[in-house]
Amino acid sequence: MIDESHSINDPLWDGVKLEGNYLLPSQPIVIYGNGLNMFQLRLSFIPTSNGQSISVSREALYKSVTLLNYNSNGSQLQKLDIAPTIDTLPTFSGWAYTETPNEFLTTPDLGFSPEENAANPDIQHVNLYVLCKTHNTKQIKIGFSITPTHGPTVTDDEDSQDGHNAVVTAQATAPITYLSTSFASACQLVRHPDDSDDFSPIRPLSRGDIWRQYNFNITLNGYTDRIYYRVHPDLKKDYLGGGYPDGLAPYAYTTISGYKTAAYIWPHDAKVTQMVEIPSYWNGLDIDIGREENYSIRYTLLFYPSLNGHWDNYLSDEALNYIVTVYDKDGNSGTFSPSTSLPSYTKLTTSSSNSPPWSPVTQPSSASGTSKQRPTVRPMLIKAPSGLYLCAQMNGTHPTENCIVRKFIYSNNLIYQWSLPALDVVWDGPHQYIQNISTLEFIKETSESYSNNGALGNKVTCIETDMHYDHRAELRYIFRPVWLSQSFAILNEANGLYLSVDTTTASDASGSYYNVYLGPYSDAGIDAQNGTMVWFISDVS
């Protein structure tokens, strides 16, 4: 056969010399039949012209070689234009080969000696890469043919008698499929300045008080070799504004007791430092997500107060369903979905070693790419540890000026429901108003003193006003996080007093309600079980 399509720059050649171990590997080889795992096949020969050794280009060399399938009467093995990868998944079936390797190359000992090559520098090599896509065990014997530009095709048949390896024997075994239960995760609290969980009324509220972070590493159980992974659909960008570069958006966030949990799964090439948004505190916060490890997937949970104050979507929850496909070093794969049922900071921090930790891994979602949301601004319940709920006091159907706590009456009674609007946001978060949904009145500090067992404070009242024009400090509050109990100490801006409950004496004969006032801080007051100045936020069910 004469090949007329060769480059005009290539010399013409008409023959082939085969010497030594010209076809490798010489030992049988096993790969996985996942369409990605491959092994290297090396064919070595000397191109000749009129019996003399010549050197030809790589293009001409590779063009001359065809692999043959001796399990199929020596038919040509299918050749792929490009090697399959996790970004261009295999679509072929059976055995195939390509000229370029991918990440999933099995590297057996080819039995090739550098000294052997040095002994005859005229030998040229063709390295091809063989792979298979099958659900069952599949075997093959692979031979070759070489077609010079001007000469007959050379084929070393399956039963070569020259003492050298004439075929490569290979077997593809059924691929491994990893289940969501095949994945494990480990988490670590990431420390940052001023992130102590010990509440201090003396220490000014700092940036470190506002947020908490846990990093996770997701791995294949007991697997320490390299993994590769892709997230589908593509992760969303987050426009941070303020001249900051775009960051990566959380794939899910949820509000639990007035705190937001935001979840991030990071691409494999993400830098150690990532910029994220803490709504109503700052647009661009640099966090450390940990250095890239070849065997794990990086994942982060962020926690911060989230009260429906400044933005319309302050309490909105959203979860995007993603599929993560993970590949081991041999191209075997498994999938999982990042969990959209997110934990609170308290749950992670206070869980005992005997209880199973929360896992970011769940079964693959059947609705990849879809999202679920909850309504945006929602009314809230504000509860004291004693099981009493903050509410407006009514005289019949008419509101009084009193703010009280009482047992919750299970009806859609708006006197128990509150919103926390805010006009401005400064570095330490929104300075908020406390407005009753039923009466539309705001809780305000008065100058009238209030005594509770000798602790002097001030009474509060409920008034109608226009918060857009009435900016008195007596109306404004800072919700200071009490992290370990997922609660808040509510500080009035006027005199530094905390919203408190007087549980010493019931305010009526039946003991159905107690007074609310503004009192000085006490350590006992923020006790999650019996405190009188700590408050739990929850959605109206």
Side-chain angles (χ1 to χ4, degrees):
M1 175 185 294
I2 296 178
D3 183 1
E4 301 291 349
S5 63
H6 67 279
S7 168
I8 60 174
N9 296 319
D10 281 329
L12 302 178
W13 52 296
D14 54 21
V16 172
K17 287 183 182 179
L18 299 172
E19 295 184 359
N21 292 318
Y22 52 80
L23 187 62
L24 299 171
S26 57
Q27 299 298 317
I29 191 166
V30 178
I31 61 173
Y32 288 101
N34 51 43
L36 291 170
N37 195 200
M38 55 170 57
F39 70 89
Q40 180 183 345
L41 180 149
R42 171 173 288 180
L43 177 60
S44 305
F45 60 94
I46 304 172
T48 63
S49 178
N50 296 322
Q52 300 298 312
S53 301
I54 63 170
S55 178
V56 301
S57 68
R58 181 188 187 282
E59 180 183 3
L61 201 68
Y62 276 74
K63 188 174 183 179
S64 70
V65 174
T66 301
L67 296 188
L68 306 176
N69 182 353
Y70 281 120
N71 285 53
S72 183
N73 301 318
S75 62
Q76 291 186 5
L77 196 61
Q78 61 179 319
K79 184 177 181 181
L80 306 178
D81 293 333
I82 58 172
T85 68
I86 60 177
D87 296 313
T88 56
L89 291 172
T91 56
F92 70 97
S93 61
W95 290 93
Y97 72 100
T98 183
E99 293 183 4
T100 54
N102 61 18
E103 303 96 327
F104 307 105
L105 177 64
T106 295
T107 53
D109 182 5
L110 292 176
F112 176 76
S113 167
E115 292 77 13
E116 183 180 348
N117 189 46
N120 192 342
D122 293 330
I123 295 178
Q124 294 186 254
H125 307 287
V126 173
N127 295 312
L128 299 172
Y129 302 90
V130 181
L131 58 170
C132 182
K133 191 169 182 359
T134 179
H135 295 295
N136 305 304
T137 300
K138 203 174 187 71
Q139 296 180 334
I140 192 173
K141 291 183 177 180
I142 303 171
F144 64 90
S145 67
I146 305 171
T147 304
T149 57
H150 288 66
T153 296
V154 176
T155 301
D156 197 8
D157 63 38
E158 180 182 3
D159 299 314
S160 174
Q161 302 298 314
D162 61 5
H164 299 295
N165 192 44
V167 296
V168 169
T169 301
Q171 176 178 296
T173 61
I176 297 173
T177 300
Y178 297 105
L179 304 177
S180 59
T181 53
S182 305
F183 296 92
S185 65
C187 69
Q188 181 180 19
L189 176 64
V190 181
R191 310 303 315 199
H192 57 264
D194 298 325
D195 66 348
S196 172
D197 287 339
D198 295 329
F199 186 88
S200 171
I202 300 174
R203 184 181 71 241
L205 194 64
S206 69
R207 287 179 181 265
D209 286 315
I210 300 303
W211 61 286
R212 298 291 184 267
Q213 177 185 351
Y214 270 92
N215 282 347
F216 289 74
N217 285 312
I218 301 171
T219 59
L220 279 170
N221 268 322
Y223 186 84
T224 56
D225 283 315
R226 176 161 192 141
I227 63 171
Y228 305 85
Y229 67 96
R230 291 294 184 267
V231 182
H232 178 79
D234 291 339
L235 295 168
K236 293 172 59 178
K237 295 290 186 180
D238 191 9
Y239 174 71
L240 300 177
Y244 294 113
D246 289 350
L248 194 69
Y251 77 86
Y253 45 89
T254 188
T255 305
I256 306 169
S257 301
Y259 289 78
K260 187 81 79 181
T261 301
Y264 300 78
I265 188 162
W266 304 105
H268 65 96
D269 56 353
K271 295 180 179 179
V272 172
T273 300
Q274 292 291 316
M275 184 171 286
V276 297
E277 179 185 15
I278 304 293
S280 280
Y281 294 95
W282 55 89
N283 289 4
L285 171 68
D286 284 333
I287 63 170
D288 186 333
I289 66 169
R291 62 187 179 91
E292 180 185 2
E293 302 283 1
N294 287 337
Y295 56 86
S296 67
I297 300 169
R298 290 171 292 173
Y299 180 99
T300 296
L301 290 179
L302 288 182
F303 310 88
Y304 48 88
S306 181
L307 304 169
N308 63 330
H310 190 64
W311 308 112
D312 287 342
N313 64 346
Y314 230 51
L315 270 176
S316 65
D317 295 355
E318 184 174 14
L320 293 171
N321 293 305
Y322 282 96
I323 297 289
V324 180
T325 305
V326 181
Y327 302 84
D328 66 18
K329 68 179 181 63
D330 297 313
N332 297 307
S333 63
T335 59
F336 70 86
S337 283
S339 177
T340 56
S341 298
L342 305 180
S344 66
Y345 174 76
T346 304
K347 180 177 180 180
L348 285 183
T349 305
T350 60
S351 59
S352 68
S353 58
N354 295 326
S355 62
W358 176 86
S359 173
V361 175
T362 60
Q363 292 185 354
S365 170
S366 60
S368 175
T370 62
S371 65
K372 59 181 180 181
Q373 295 179 323
R374 284 205 294 173
T376 52
V377 176
R378 303 190 298 272
M380 292 176 291
L381 302 176
I382 303 177
K383 185 182 73 169
S386 52
L388 301 173
Y389 288 81
L390 186 68
C391 66
Q393 187 177 35
M394 305 292 286
N395 182 7
T397 58
H398 301 286
T400 71
E401 296 180 351
N402 291 339
C403 180
I404 60 173
V405 291
R406 63 184 302 176
K407 292 181 180 179
F408 185 67
I409 300 173
Y410 287 92
S411 65
N412 190 24
N413 195 329
L414 298 182
I415 65 169
Y416 293 96
Q417 299 181 21
W418 301 87
S419 67
L420 304 174
L423 278 180
D424 62 342
V425 172
V426 294
W427 72 266
D428 59 348
H431 291 205
Q432 298 180 264
Y433 296 74
I434 305 176
Q435 184 180 31
N436 189 264
I437 295 294
S438 175
T439 67
L440 301 181
E441 293 180 335
F442 297 85
I443 299 178
K444 175 184 172 295
E445 181 181 19
T446 73
S447 59
E448 187 177 352
S449 63
Y450 187 96
S451 177
N452 180 8
N453 282 339
L456 291 178
N458 287 338
K459 291 184 177 181
V460 296
T461 188
C462 294
I463 67 167
E464 293 185 14
T465 190
D466 188 338
M467 58 172 279
H468 293 88
Y469 300 98
D470 192 345
H471 301 163
R472 286 176 290 175
E474 290 82 2
L475 286 161
R476 293 154 58 98
Y477 298 84
I478 298 175
F479 281 63
R480 297 194 58 170
V482 183
W483 281 100
L484 289 182
S485 58
Q486 196 90 0
S487 59
F488 294 91
I490 304 175
L491 175 68
N492 185 269
E493 290 189 38
N495 294 301
L497 299 176
Y498 289 84
L499 196 68
S500 305
V501 178
D502 180 1
T503 57
T504 58
T505 306
S507 296
D508 71 339
S510 63
S512 64
Y513 69 88
Y514 297 84
N515 283 333
V516 173
Y517 70 104
L518 287 166
Y521 173 82
S522 69
D523 289 338
I526 62 166
D527 180 77
Q529 303 299 321
N530 302 300
T532 57
M533 51 167 288
V534 64
W535 301 89
F536 294 86
I537 308 294
S538 62
D539 289 340
V540 175
S541 59

